Amino acid sequence: QVQLVESGGGSVQAGGSLRLSCAASGYAYGGYCMGWFRQAPGKEREEVASIDDIGGSTHYVDSVKGRFTISRDNAKNTLFLQMNSLKPEDTAMYYCAARSSFLPGCLGMGAVNFHYWGQGTQVTVSS
């Protein structure tokens, strides 16, 4: 069974930075496409960024391009999201998710196509 545990969320002022981590266990981590998603109250869950199984390709939603960086360390079974220049509109619960690399596609697939989810970590950005 796949287990994903996020950490690193918190409260920051606009312009600040946070680094989210997602520790993975229970499977061959390197064989999964990974993504970061967020959901604000009253809004749908949206994909923030995704990365292929070897970390060679990434995808970002337009609103975070140039500010967020997704990366992974397969040796440590950990996914990261470096968030810089944070804005109040980045406030949300952030989730990491996994999708088997045996399935076609990875980047920009959307929440419905990811099968394993963590519990989330809250990010709050004040103006």
Side-chain angles (χ1 to χ4, degrees):
Q1 184 67 24
V2 175
Q3 285 115 30
L4 303 172
V5 179
E6 303 94 336
S7 62
S11 297
V12 296
Q13 290 190 328
S17 298
L18 284 173
R19 189 190 196 205
L20 305 184
S21 298
C22 173
S25 61
Y27 67 108
Y29 172 72
Y32 281 76
C33 166
M34 301 295 295
W36 284 101
F37 296 78
R38 65 186 180 188
Q39 188 167 19
K43 295 188 176 181
E44 292 187 355
R45 189 169 298 191
E46 69 166 347
E47 181 177 326
V48 175
S50 50
I51 187 168
D52 68 6
D53 56 347
I54 61 172
S57 297
T58 58
H59 175 269
Y60 298 92
V61 68
D62 286 346
S63 60
V64 307
K65 285 181 180 177
R67 300 189 297 123
F68 291 12
T69 302
I70 188 172
S71 62
R72 66 192 295 166
D73 184 340
N74 285 353
K76 296 182 178 180
N77 290 356
T78 306
L79 177 73
F80 303 100
L81 184 69
Q82 178 66 44
M83 305 187 294
N84 298 327
S85 302
L86 283 160
K87 304 176 180 180
E89 51 263 44
D90 294 318
T91 295
M93 185 71 78
Y94 283 70
Y95 301 89
C96 72
R99 168 182 169 84
S100 173
S101 294
F102 288 109
L103 298 172
C106 171
L107 307 179
M109 294 290 288
V112 68
N113 291 300
F114 281 74
H115 310 113
Y116 305 100
W117 293 85
Q119 294 300 305
T121 185
Q122 178 68 37
V123 172
T124 303
V125 185
S126 58
S127 58

